[in-house]
Amino acid sequence: MEDALPGPKPLLLNLFEMNCVSHITHGLWRLPGNHRHEFNDIGYWTTLARLAEDAQFDAVFLADVIGAYDVYRDGPQTALREGLQVPSNDPMLVVPAMAAVTDHLGFAVTFSTSYEPPFPFARRMSTLDHLTKGRVGWNVVTSYLPSAARNFGLPGEIAHDERYRIADEFMEVVYALWEGSWDAGAVVADRERGVFTEPDRVRAIDHDGTYFRVAGPHLSSPSPQRTPLVVQATASADGIEFAGRHAELVFTGGPDHAAVARTIAAVREAAARHGRDPRSVKFVVQATVITGHTESDVTAKLAAHARYDSLEGRFAHASLPFDPLAHPADRTVGEALALEGRADHPGAAGLPRQRTVGEFAAAIARRERTFSAVGTPDAVVAQIEHWLDDVGIDGINLTQHHSYGTLLDFAELIGPRLRARGRRPEGYVPGQTLRERFGGAGPLLPGEHTGARFRRAAVPTP
């Protein structure tokens, strides 16, 4: 049973984004007035940031992939035609632009530990933490697309458990750089003595591991948070254990609320095993919110979404190893896979082989998010409060069906109601880092965290 809280449980609120035209709402970039196609323009991002800060969002959460969706129809053609996460740009590079036009909004950026080395990444994140005055977080992922592996010279996807072993060592390296390489106060900027940094307060890390060899020292001086807020997107067994060691914020999901509640419990148990306070880990889920002043407003928005929704985009995003549109509706999925020679394809393992292709396609077409609140503002707020109080989540990554309409609807119709009910704060705390906003007692990792043991140590402790 959770400890009693002094008031209503507050909602952590992120805007879910990706530096591309079609993130997770397939075909909806064509909605009238949608600005998603402007993602190459820096003005898109500065406008988005201003609106999100005006609406008092906690952060913009930037997803990323480093390969194209190319399983469906044996190539990237469908993804390219649909704009499905391709073309896409680097999420880190839009953060300084958004930070420059805001004072409080946070930014969580996705970066994979599987393919690029930790040393330059640690420097880039320290730079972002400096430039934003401690408003950044890192969404740690290990990447799941086979095309991503091929983009980095590998013949195929790295096995799931090995990706997590690489990720653990990657974390050791960046913790050593962020937490252990520079002492507090190493930068003195003493004009009289002509000393900017005291050399004896900076040290190499001399990491020599299975996957990485990094000498150091870190090239950036300590930033406001040193280690940015550690976020992790996961629901897998390996991911849960990793989250117990590292994550301060977990982005999770599941087929239903009970599954998400089980993941939350499992991560908290893992955190306790690693000597951490289980309640220090927060959980956010991807959420759909479609609302309007009246029921007829909501109905009209749903009708527009249905008109522009792309079933082929959904198939490509699901990496289906067969093409449902190439088969009669009464053929079974198993028969379709066999006819295409894909019965043994890894992507076919979880497919419902006994269902007809028509039933399967219809299920994908009407697939609803596990966390979906559709209706008038009072109904949406009631649904969000149910998620907080009964399911046990701490916050949401708000899916954007329309840019900037989804954000503006939330700002006008949902945000004020949440604040009136004590679910959102009345304004920002000046100077607060992202870690502090998400529940941290201070700007730095807590002393019990795995990364904290790298402080004041040149070499990771065995």
Side-chain angles (χ1 to χ4, degrees):
M1 180 179 291
E2 295 188 5
D3 296 336
L5 296 173
K9 184 178 184 180
L11 176 77
L12 301 175
L13 180 60
N14 301 323
L15 189 67
F16 201 22
E17 256 292 356
M18 188 169 175
N19 197 345
C20 66
V21 67
S22 184
H23 176 197
I24 44 179
T25 53
H26 313 100
L28 299 193
W29 66 273
R30 300 173 296 162
L31 281 168
N34 202 333
H35 291 265
R36 288 228 60 88
H37 63 288
E38 299 170 5
F39 72 98
N40 283 328
D41 188 332
I42 200 168
Y44 171 84
W45 297 100
T46 54
T47 299
L48 182 86
R50 288 190 182 101
L51 291 173
E53 184 158 283
D54 288 346
Q56 298 181 24
F57 275 66
D58 289 312
V60 175
F61 193 111
L62 289 149
D64 193 29
V65 293
I66 45 178
Y69 285 85
D70 61 358
V71 174
Y72 181 62
R73 292 176 175 165
D74 291 327
Q77 289 79 8
T78 302
L80 286 163
R81 189 174 60 251
E82 296 282 335
L84 171 63
Q85 302 188 9
V86 59
S88 69
N89 298 325
D90 193 311
M92 298 177 76
L93 298 184
V94 299
V95 170
M98 292 192 285
V101 298
T102 56
D103 296 315
H104 310 286
L105 186 67
F107 311 96
V109 294
T110 297
F111 184 84
S112 173
T113 56
S114 295
Y115 302 114
E116 296 186 64
F119 184 80
F121 168 74
R123 186 189 189 197
R124 292 200 295 274
M125 286 305 292
S126 291
T127 304
L128 285 182
D129 204 45
H130 277 300
L131 293 177
T132 63
K133 295 182 169 57
R135 291 189 275 151
V136 294
W138 168 29
N139 178 33
V140 185
V141 298
T142 63
S143 299
Y144 61 90
L145 289 175
S147 62
R150 296 196 299 274
N151 286 338
F152 289 89
L154 301 178
E157 190 176 12
I158 303 172
H160 187 264
D161 55 350
E162 185 173 12
R163 293 206 306 271
Y164 274 96
R165 287 195 292 272
I166 295 171
D168 263 323
E169 188 177 331
F170 193 109
M171 299 302 292
E172 289 184 12
V173 174
V174 295
Y175 287 146
L177 292 166
W178 287 329
E179 301 289 336
S181 188
W182 288 61
D183 289 343
V187 175
V188 294
D190 189 330
R191 293 175 183 270
E192 294 293 324
R193 292 191 295 135
V195 175
F196 191 79
T197 301
E198 297 285 5
D200 60 348
R201 304 186 76 174
V202 180
R203 60 188 66 86
I205 66 167
D206 293 327
H207 177 90
D208 188 357
T210 302
Y211 301 101
F212 306 110
R213 296 182 68 186
V214 179
H218 191 31
L219 294 183
S220 298
S221 59
S223 61
Q225 298 181 110
R226 285 190 179 249
T227 297
L229 180 77
V230 180
V231 187
Q232 188 194 354
T234 193
S236 72
D238 288 335
I240 286 170
E241 197 62 29
F242 184 91
R245 285 191 293 275
H246 305 287
E248 299 170 276
L249 178 70
V250 174
F251 177 28
T252 193
D256 51 45
H257 291 172
V260 172
R262 287 194 295 273
T263 297
I264 291 172
V267 171
R268 288 195 165 131
E269 290 172 5
R273 284 197 296 276
H274 292 284
R276 302 174 59 199
D277 176 3
R279 308 304 306 177
S280 68
V281 186
K282 306 298 184 186
F283 297 85
V284 296
V285 295
Q286 179 185 334
T288 288
V289 172
I290 300 172
T291 190
H293 291 279
T294 65
E295 289 284 2
S296 59
D297 289 344
V298 176
T299 300
K301 288 175 184 175
L302 289 174
H305 292 181
R307 186 159 59 249
Y308 290 100
D309 187 83
S310 168
L311 188 57
E312 289 185 59
R314 289 174 183 252
F315 290 161
H317 198 180
S319 294
L320 290 185
F322 77 107
D323 184 0
L325 300 178
H327 299 272
D330 59 353
R331 181 172 288 162
T332 68
V333 170
E335 291 169 341
L337 286 166
L339 284 168
E340 292 194 23
R342 295 303 186 92
D344 297 326
H345 190 282
L351 296 180
R353 294 172 186 252
Q354 301 307 313
R355 299 187 74 178
T356 68
V357 168
E359 292 169 341
F360 177 68
I364 289 183
R366 65 172 179 270
R367 180 175 293 171
E368 294 182 351
R369 301 289 181 187
T370 305
F371 293 88
S372 180
V374 177
T376 58
D378 288 339
V380 167
V381 169
Q383 187 63 250
I384 291 174
E385 290 188 316
H386 165 62
W387 299 340
L388 288 168
D389 297 338
D390 302 324
V391 183
I393 68 165
D394 298 291
I396 62 172
N397 285 350
L398 180 66
T399 303
Q400 292 189 91
H401 297 82
H402 184 286
S403 298
Y404 311 102
T406 302
L407 192 166
L408 293 171
D409 282 347
F410 199 98
E412 178 189 1
L413 301 173
I414 307 302
R417 285 172 169 80
L418 291 172
R419 289 193 290 275
R421 297 176 69 81
R423 299 290 187 170
R424 289 288 300 158
E426 295 287 348
Y428 294 105
V429 176
Q432 190 178 51
T433 63
L434 192 60
R435 173 166 289 111
E436 291 168 304
R437 186 169 305 153
F438 281 82
L444 305 179
L445 283 174
E448 66 189 21
H449 190 278
T450 305
R453 70 182 173 91
F454 291 86
R455 290 173 185 157
R456 296 183 298 278
V459 180
T461 304

